[in-house]
Amino acid sequence: MAVQQEAFNQAEELPVSGKEEKKPVSVKTMGFFELLEDSWPLALDSYQRGFVWGTAKVEQLIGDLNTYQVERREEGDALPYYMGTLLLHNDTDKKRRFIIDGQQRITALSLLYYQIKQEFPHGQKLSYSAQSARCIEDAVKLLKNSSDIPAGDVFDRLHFTVITVTNPDLAFAFFDTQNNRGVRLQATDLLKAYHLRSIDHNSNDKVQGEELQKDCATRWEKIQRQSSVFP
């Protein structure tokens, strides 16, 4: 808990994303609902990989949140539950806050929220490709059959350190280097992110570039799902 408090104390204030942002990188500690209250919704860019958490990771999250709630009731601990760092890219053209790092946690929490509240949290426009369907389906089935779902007020206690960048090149630099924990990115994920990001970033027609990026992302994922031709 001391480590959590130290992380909160070290966080800097982040200006509102809807206003002019002068600093290329900003940091702020935010609660779960505060994260979703921004005028720009959370979203996933086409170059991102899908939701890849297996049921073991989702089950671990449920267990950690249950343990936290039990300890908080028994010890009267008022500290929030620290969920780590999120990396966001404020895209001024699309009016979106794209999740660079942290979508696995946000997706799992959103699925848990739905299981408890029977609705998804407001303030997000997360869309997933077919690559994510199996993992999301497995996570939903696990949550429906679980007898240890945390109480709904746990979302009031969740806090993140939110790092926001405004430059797309800097966003990709973070994406490329901030994946040392969780489910590691494969070389094909990095190649996909590098090339698909360039389509949208270098296109003169933003709408056409976005559509081409989505189409290429779908085709890339079909190739990834195929069996390897090498022994």
Side-chain angles (χ1 to χ4, degrees):
M1 291 300 182
V3 175
Q4 292 181 0
Q5 190 62 59
E6 182 179 356
F8 298 149
N9 293 338
Q10 292 177 350
E12 302 174 4
E13 288 299 313
L14 171 67
V16 178
S17 62
K19 299 179 180 179
E20 184 177 359
E21 174 61 83
K22 295 182 179 180
K23 293 189 291 186
V25 181
S26 302
V27 183
K28 183 181 179 182
T29 300
M30 306 178 74
F32 180 77
F33 294 111
E34 183 183 3
L35 174 69
L36 300 174
E37 286 173 354
D38 196 283
S39 58
W40 294 359
L42 291 177
L44 295 175
D45 217 334
S46 299
Y47 69 76
Q48 282 275 13
R49 67 174 173 179
F51 180 63
V52 296
W53 268 17
T55 54
K57 296 288 289 185
V58 178
E59 198 166 17
Q60 180 182 357
L61 175 64
I62 296 173
D64 289 345
L65 293 178
N66 275 324
T67 300
Y68 162 74
Q69 287 195 316
V70 171
E71 291 179 350
R72 186 164 64 90
R73 285 194 296 266
E74 293 178 350
E75 302 175 8
D77 194 347
L79 279 178
Y81 186 83
Y82 183 58
M83 288 291 298
T85 301
L86 296 179
L87 298 171
L88 307 179
H89 169 219
N90 277 2
D91 191 315
T92 56
D93 293 325
K94 300 176 182 178
K95 307 296 184 184
R96 295 286 188 271
R97 293 176 298 150
F98 288 110
I99 302 174
I100 305 168
D101 188 65
Q103 71 133 311
Q104 308 298 322
R105 282 167 288 157
I106 294 298
T107 299
L109 288 171
S110 296
L111 295 175
L112 175 60
Y113 187 93
Y114 183 84
Q115 178 62 28
I116 297 173
K117 305 287 188 179
Q118 293 303 299
E119 64 176 1
F120 286 107
H122 300 291
Q124 56 174 282
K125 290 186 178 296
L126 302 179
S127 59
Y128 300 90
S129 65
Q131 186 184 35
S132 308
R134 176 59 62 84
C135 289
I136 290 177
E137 181 181 351
D138 290 343
V140 169
K141 186 180 298 183
L142 171 69
L143 292 168
K144 283 184 177 180
N145 295 329
S146 177
S147 59
D148 296 320
I149 297 296
D153 62 354
V154 71
F155 289 97
D156 296 320
R157 311 299 303 170
L158 303 182
H159 279 70
F160 304 84
T161 296
V162 182
I163 302 174
T164 304
V165 298
T166 58
N167 181 283
D169 292 324
L170 188 57
F172 181 74
F174 273 113
F175 176 85
D176 195 21
T177 59
Q178 295 297 315
N179 287 279
N180 295 322
R181 298 169 63 184
V183 181
R184 296 292 300 274
L185 289 169
Q186 301 297 318
T188 52
D189 293 316
L190 293 172
L191 284 170
K192 171 190 170 186
Y194 178 79
H195 291 294
L196 267 60
R197 172 194 152 275
S198 296
I199 292 174
D200 186 41
H201 181 54
N202 295 323
S203 176
N204 293 325
D205 186 331
K206 290 296 181 182
V207 176
Q208 184 179 9
E210 185 176 358
E211 290 302 317
L212 178 59
Q213 188 185 62
K214 290 180 179 179
D215 179 63
C216 290
T218 300
R219 293 163 61 188
W220 189 293
E221 289 174 1
K222 286 182 179 178
I223 295 174
Q224 283 185 303
R225 291 196 297 271
Q226 292 177 0
S227 300
S228 174
V229 297
F230 298 102

